[in-house]
Amino acid sequence: MLDALVRTLKWVAYNQRELIRTGFDSAETFQVELILPSYNERGSNHQVRFSKRRVAFFWNPEHFAEFHKARPEEIDVSSSYGFLKPYFGDESVFVTSGSGHAPAKQAVYRTIRQHMTIEADDLMFFSYSVLERFPTGVYPALKPIQEVTAAFLLRTVFDVQGSAATTTIEHAIAAAGNASGTFLILPDLVRWTRRWGVGLAIRRQRLHLRHFIMDQLQGMLVAHNWVDETPEAARTEIIDNLMTLLIAGFETTSTTIAWLLYELASNNDLQADLRSEVSERIRENPLDYFADDKTLLARTVQETLRLHPSIPFIIREVKAPITIGGVALRASDYAVLSIEEMHRRGFDGGTRFDPSRYQTATNLPKLATFGGGAKICPGRAIAVQQCRIIVSLLLAKYLIGTTDKTRSYIARNRVSATPAGGMLLKFDRIQ
Ligand code: HEM
């Protein structure tokens, strides 16, 4: 027990990604025992019980496939994301488990298909947003990138812009920034601490976002009074899923773009080649260019999704005994699937940023950046488009460089691969 306690403190205090990496250096899969709080909610009574639980780590793509194929009774896709409820809401597709997951997912796909198409006037709006938010100078690029990507989602899903959008963006950025990766290892902890009011700030932001979403729905659906006519449970599901789209849809994409700009800022030749391609193809037909998978732009985005997956690992809770990768998992064990290590260990020269690998090599392993199976990311196509568009517009307008203070490591224990210091870069406007 003491051993597990010491190990738990180490996992909370140290850099978890580093611990995972060194663990895989000596074995393809490994397990650690941690003391984790279990949380039961019975009416208004909360019970917290600490117990030893095993966490098993995997990176091999074949093991990932086995997880994605497992039955929901064996591996519950969402149960380990309970810690995200304070941000997304109890009915969000991200946290609904069992039979509630499939309908919530269909609803999310429907929303994405209905709203998230990119047209010529969206590009004008983007172009304007980029110029407005990126002054010449040296500053952390992540913040303006987040503002532009969040503005994109607000425009496409809710069809709003202007000051309402600006305040909402600020709240969404703060809410997403609150989610700490420590809770991925201790998933019950947030739920437990909510009891003591620790999540007050989070709840305030969530309330603001909910009001915003409610107002928008009222405005959109004036033809009938949706609040009176939609049952309470369905209303909650709609709002929670829109909130999930709003937060899940910009945090991950903006992190990817920040790392992509870092790679371009560190490689002047690649930056110049990409700028030439962008100038030529945007003049011809921008929408065709962004949809084309064979361009240098597409390869550069793909390589960023490989080397800098914005969700470095995903987590699953085991519900019934199952053997994966030779590891006999027991009910209540956790499994961590390290996307980041899979992408580094599964590719030749995996730690090198090299967009040309997709040109020269065939039969490369498939990327796991967007997960797989029942929980695969429903926003993956739009995320790729968003990265291609924002990077192109930035390259057309700015020379991007690093400074001696630019840091290329991930802030410790975040949910997404947030660059430390918000990715300090230098932007020079091209006249
Ligand atoms: C580069 C950008 C993105 C990355 C790397 C990413 C990655 C992921 C991953 C790995 C998962 C699965 C988590 C798991 O298996 O446990 C996921 C789920 C999800 N993503 Fe994304 N995502 C991105 C962009 C987006 C966008 C733009 C949207 C919405 C417009 C979105 C909405 C969602 C939602 C709603 C889920 C939950 C799906 C479910 O629970 O079944 N994501 N994402």
Side-chain angles (χ1 to χ4, degrees):
M1 192 69 168
L2 186 66
D3 187 42
L5 190 61
V6 171
R7 223 178 268 279
T8 307
L9 294 174
K10 189 171 155 194
W11 275 87
V12 175
Y14 286 147
N15 184 341
Q16 287 149 16
R17 291 173 48 256
E18 206 48 52
L19 290 171
I20 293 174
R21 183 161 305 156
T22 43
F24 285 135
D25 282 344
S26 42
E28 195 175 57
T29 69
F30 65 98
Q31 298 107 50
V32 291
E33 291 200 306
L34 302 174
I35 309 287
L36 302 178
S38 301
Y39 175 87
N40 294 314
E41 199 169 355
R42 294 213 181 89
S44 56
N45 287 328
H46 301 264
Q47 291 179 335
V48 182
R49 204 167 54 84
F50 283 88
S51 57
K52 207 157 58 165
R53 284 172 91 167
R54 195 165 63 152
V55 186
F57 294 81
F58 299 85
W59 71 262
N60 187 320
E62 285 169 20
H63 302 160
F64 280 32
E66 286 180 54
F67 274 101
H68 296 326
K69 274 193 277 189
R71 289 178 297 123
E73 307 83 70
E74 294 164 330
I75 305 285
D76 186 334
V77 288
S78 303
S79 56
S80 39
Y81 286 102
F83 75 102
L84 281 172
K85 286 185 181 182
Y87 311 98
F88 291 167
D90 293 358
E91 298 302 320
S92 151
V93 64
F94 225 105
V95 299
T96 46
S97 48
S99 59
H101 181 256
K105 186 103 180 197
Q106 277 160 15
V108 162
Y109 269 125
R110 254 199 316 277
T111 308
I112 291 180
R113 265 202 307 275
Q114 268 167 15
H115 298 285
M116 294 200 190
T117 46
I118 296 161
E119 286 154 10
D121 60 334
D122 296 317
L123 292 183
M124 295 234 321
F125 167 77
F126 264 138
S127 189
Y128 172 73
S129 298
V130 162
L131 279 179
E132 190 185 46
R133 290 170 206 266
F134 287 83
T136 284
V138 175
Y139 49 87
L142 186 63
K143 182 85 192 308
I145 297 171
Q146 284 178 330
E147 288 168 355
V148 172
T149 47
F152 168 82
L153 275 176
L154 285 174
R155 181 185 162 87
T156 48
V157 185
F158 300 101
D159 203 19
V160 290
Q161 44 204 295
S163 61
T166 310
T167 336
T168 308
I169 290 167
E170 278 164 16
H171 281 274
I173 291 174
N178 270 324
S180 159
T182 301
F183 300 121
L184 276 178
I185 294 299
L186 302 172
D188 294 323
L189 199 61
V190 167
R191 283 183 280 173
W192 177 58
T193 51
R194 265 205 298 174
R195 182 186 170 194
W196 307 103
V198 174
L200 261 182
I202 297 167
R203 260 178 285 171
R204 255 194 47 228
Q205 275 146 10
R206 178 177 160 188
L207 221 59
H208 174 91
L209 295 174
R210 282 186 87 85
H211 282 152
F212 170 82
I213 289 170
M214 283 287 287
D215 285 352
Q216 296 310 314
L217 286 171
Q218 298 276 48
M220 280 178 214
L221 302 170
V222 278
H224 72 284
N225 188 346
W226 89 284
V227 174
D228 290 340
E229 289 172 16
T230 317
E232 168 78 29
R235 258 176 14 222
T236 310
E237 185 184 319
I238 294 168
I239 293 169
D240 287 357
N241 274 320
L242 286 173
M243 197 123 94
T244 307
L245 285 179
L246 184 61
I247 300 183
F250 82 89
E251 164 76 4
T252 43
T253 314
S254 46
T255 307
T256 308
I257 295 171
W259 284 108
L260 201 161
L261 294 187
Y262 167 77
E263 294 294 352
L264 293 179
S266 315
N267 185 337
N268 286 334
D269 290 345
L270 176 63
Q271 187 178 151
D273 289 350
L274 192 49
R275 185 172 293 106
S276 309
E277 181 188 272
V278 165
S279 316
E280 192 182 316
R281 295 287 308 265
I282 278 195
R283 251 198 322 270
E284 287 166 9
N285 184 335
L287 290 172
D288 275 0
Y289 177 45
F290 298 134
D292 188 344
D293 291 332
K294 300 215 165 49
T295 58
L296 178 57
L297 175 65
R299 290 196 297 276
T300 309
V301 169
Q302 178 84 345
E303 181 64 346
T304 310
L305 293 169
R306 182 192 70 79
L307 189 59
H308 304 287
S310 51
I311 299 188
F313 54 84
I314 52 180
I315 188 161
R316 297 285 183 263
E317 189 174 1
V318 181
K319 290 291 176 190
I322 179 171
T323 299
I324 293 186
V327 182
L329 296 164
R330 305 165 306 206
S332 90
D333 284 352
Y334 283 116
V336 171
L337 282 55
S338 174
I339 296 171
E340 185 177 42
E341 291 302 315
M342 185 265 207
H343 288 176
R344 285 167 189 236
R345 289 166 197 266
F347 285 74
D348 280 344
T351 54
R352 204 179 56 241
F353 186 84
D354 179 11
S356 73
R357 70 174 75 239
Y358 303 103
Q359 233 173 349
T360 46
T362 50
N363 70 358
L364 290 172
K366 259 173 58 184
L367 298 190
T369 315
F370 294 107
K375 229 172 154 53
I376 193 164
C377 175
R380 56 199 185 281
I382 204 82
V384 168
Q385 289 295 305
Q386 230 178 322
C387 292
R388 290 180 187 173
I389 292 172
I390 293 175
V391 167
S392 298
L393 294 176
L394 278 166
L395 272 184
K397 312 253 192 262
Y398 301 91
L399 295 171
I400 304 163
T402 54
T403 78
D404 52 4
K405 293 205 173 60
T406 302
R407 299 282 167 264
S408 66
Y409 53 84
I410 294 178
R412 225 158 53 82
N413 298 344
R414 311 295 315 162
V415 167
S416 55
T418 315
M423 189 53 78
L424 196 73
L425 294 174
K426 184 163 174 281
F427 292 84
D428 280 320
R429 180 80 202 270
I430 301 170
Q431 294 310 320

